[in-house]
Amino acid sequence: MNSMTGFGRSTRIADGLQCTIEIKSVNSRFLDLNIRSPKQVNSVEHSIRKCIQKSLHRGKVDVFVTLQDIDDREKQFLINSSLKHQIQDLLVLEGFYKSAQDVPLAAVMSISNEWIQIKDDEIQEDSLCSLITETTMEALNALVHMRTSEGVQIQQDLLERLSHMTAIIDDINAHKEDAVLAYKENLRKKMLEYVDNLDIAINEDRLLQEVAIMADKTDITEEIVRFRSHVVQLTNTLKKDEPIGRKLDFIIQEMNREVNTIGSKAMDISLTDHVVQLKCELEKVREQVQNIE
């Protein structure tokens, strides 16, 4: 089980070129991959995407690629002869020199040096692709390690909260019968008082039957059984070594539905307090689940 939050960084050097790649990720519903890199990396950007998509399934992922020369590399000199001749002719035309041959190089450079361009030899695409890929894999491994470590911590926290919720639901189950009996007795007394105020006769058996029917609607046995089932599902899912975030989110929704039903049926104040505790724990679990891949 992995978190969706992490950071990884790597630097490698090849052919006098230093490549640094940083990858950071946060939670997101889908895999949202963004790459920021120099133009010379455009041709091999697909390699970065391919590496990341093999390892990550969800999360907003930002990749930053930096290239820097660190050694003396072969240079290329590009001479714009046309511009150089134009500058020479200009100096002759203005009367500074008698002919273009008399114009010294320093005079031409004083006007403009744009007629000379110096650039590094381009690194071969295969070498660049290899450098980018290896650097990406190292940064990605660091990111995955961080996401896995955080995932272990989240898993432990969730298991502890599930244990706490199990204890709460067990306590609710232990007191549900008393709550139903108390509700029946309270309902019977109120109905009798209402009938007495109306000064009419009532069949005792029919009264008890109606009380039983209404009290039966407050029974929460089914909801407790389903909640326990969801706890087992959630626990088993947490132990799987695969992307489980979406499944966990669905299970949490089902658990929350059962708790709401219990809360609407429970008439006893002690059960209501337990329902509030369950809702608080479920909200904390839901927040944690949002960070799981």
Side-chain angles (χ1 to χ4, degrees), residues 139 145 178:
H145 178 73
D178 293 338

Side-chain angles (χ1 to χ4, degrees), residues 49-100:
R49 291 186 175 276
K50 189 175 180 180
C51 291
I52 293 176
Q53 289 170 348
K54 283 184 178 179
S55 300
L56 307 182
H57 303 278
R58 294 179 67 198
K60 184 180 185 301
V61 182
D62 292 313
V63 182
F64 303 91
V65 182
T66 304
L67 295 178
Q68 181 180 0
D69 291 324
I70 59 171
D71 292 331
D72 291 334
R73 298 171 61 198
E74 292 293 329
K75 308 292 182 181
Q76 290 184 4
F77 292 87
L78 303 178
I79 306 298
N80 188 336
S81 299
S82 177
L83 178 59
K84 176 177 176 289
H85 292 154
Q86 284 181 332
I87 296 173
Q88 290 174 324
D89 292 341
L90 174 64
L91 292 173
V92 172
L93 183 63
E94 294 295 329
F96 291 101
Y97 301 94
K98 293 182 178 180
S99 66

Side-chain angles (χ1 to χ4, degrees), residues 13-269:
I13 299 173
D15 297 331
L17 189 66
Q18 177 177 285
C19 176
T20 300
I21 294 182
E22 295 181 346
I23 308 175
K24 67 176 184 178
S25 67
V26 295
N27 59 319
S28 177
R29 189 174 181 183
F30 305 102
L31 179 60
D32 181 10
L33 179 56
N34 301 290
I35 301 175
R36 299 179 184 177
S37 61
K39 291 183 178 180
Q40 56 263 50
V41 181
N42 290 348
S43 61
V44 294
E45 190 175 292
H46 66 281
S47 298
I48 300 176
R49 291 186 175 276
K50 189 175 180 180
C51 291
I52 293 176
Q53 289 170 348
K54 283 184 178 179
S55 300
L56 307 182
H57 303 278
R58 294 179 67 198
K60 184 180 185 301
V61 182
D62 292 313
V63 182
F64 303 91
V65 182
T66 304
L67 295 178
Q68 181 180 0
D69 291 324
I70 59 171
D71 292 331
D72 291 334
R73 298 171 61 198
E74 292 293 329
K75 308 292 182 181
Q76 290 184 4
F77 292 87
L78 303 178
I79 306 298
N80 188 336
S81 299
S82 177
L83 178 59
K84 176 177 176 289
H85 292 154
Q86 284 181 332
I87 296 173
Q88 290 174 324
D89 292 341
L90 174 64
L91 292 173
V92 172
L93 183 63
E94 294 295 329
F96 291 101
Y97 301 94
K98 293 182 178 180
S99 66
Q101 289 75 17
D102 295 332
V103 180
L105 185 61
V108 177
M109 295 292 290
S110 68
I111 300 300
S112 173
N113 61 0
E114 292 183 0
W115 57 279
I116 300 179
Q117 294 183 8
I118 305 174
K119 61 184 296 187
D120 294 318
D121 280 341
E122 292 186 1
I123 186 171
Q124 295 296 319
E125 185 170 329
D126 290 344
S127 299
L128 181 61
C129 183
S130 177
L131 176 62
I132 293 293
T133 302
E134 291 175 3
T135 310
T136 299
M137 288 304 301
E138 286 186 354
L140 185 59
N141 288 338
L143 172 76
V144 170
H145 178 73
M146 181 177 290
R147 284 165 59 120
T148 301
S149 299
E150 186 170 315
V152 171
Q153 296 178 7
I154 294 176
Q155 181 189 59
Q156 183 61 36
D157 178 73
L158 290 177
L159 290 174
E160 290 176 0
R161 294 191 184 281
L162 284 175
S163 178
H164 185 205
M165 286 193 290
T166 299
I168 295 174
I169 203 69
D170 287 344
D171 202 19
I172 291 176
N173 186 62
H175 295 86
K176 67 177 182 179
E177 298 297 339
D178 293 338
V180 172
L181 291 175
Y183 177 72
K184 281 183 178 180
E185 182 60 24
N186 185 54
L187 182 61
R188 189 183 70 84
K189 288 181 179 179
K190 287 186 176 181
M191 292 181 70
L192 287 174
E193 289 176 2
Y194 182 73
V195 171
D196 288 342
N197 290 335
L198 293 177
D199 194 22
I200 60 176
I202 186 173
N203 186 296
E204 182 71 19
D205 291 337
R206 181 59 186 273
L207 174 63
L208 294 177
Q209 183 181 8
E210 292 297 327
V211 169
I213 292 173
M214 296 183 68
D216 186 61
K217 295 180 180 180
T218 66
D219 184 68
I220 55 176
T221 301
E222 292 184 9
E223 287 75 15
I224 291 175
V225 171
R226 285 196 292 266
F227 187 89
R228 284 173 168 170
S229 175
H230 295 323
V231 170
V232 173
Q233 283 183 307
L234 194 61
T235 303
N236 293 336
T237 303
L238 285 172
K239 298 177 182 179
K240 292 183 178 180
D241 187 19
E242 60 186 50
I244 58 175
R246 293 180 186 174
K247 184 175 181 180
L248 292 178
D249 191 53
F250 173 76
I251 297 174
I252 293 300
Q253 291 180 33
E254 294 301 308
M255 293 174 72
N256 194 60
R257 184 176 290 110
E258 301 302 336
V259 172
N260 285 335
T261 304
I262 292 173
S264 65
K265 286 185 175 183
M267 300 297 177
D268 186 82
I269 186 63

Side-chain angles (χ1 to χ4, degrees), residues 4 27-28 58 249 285-292:
M4 282 190 284
N27 59 319
S28 177
R58 294 179 67 198
D249 191 53
V285 170
R286 189 193 65 80
E287 291 176 357
Q288 289 281 46
V289 166
Q290 300 307 307
N291 293 319
I292 298 176

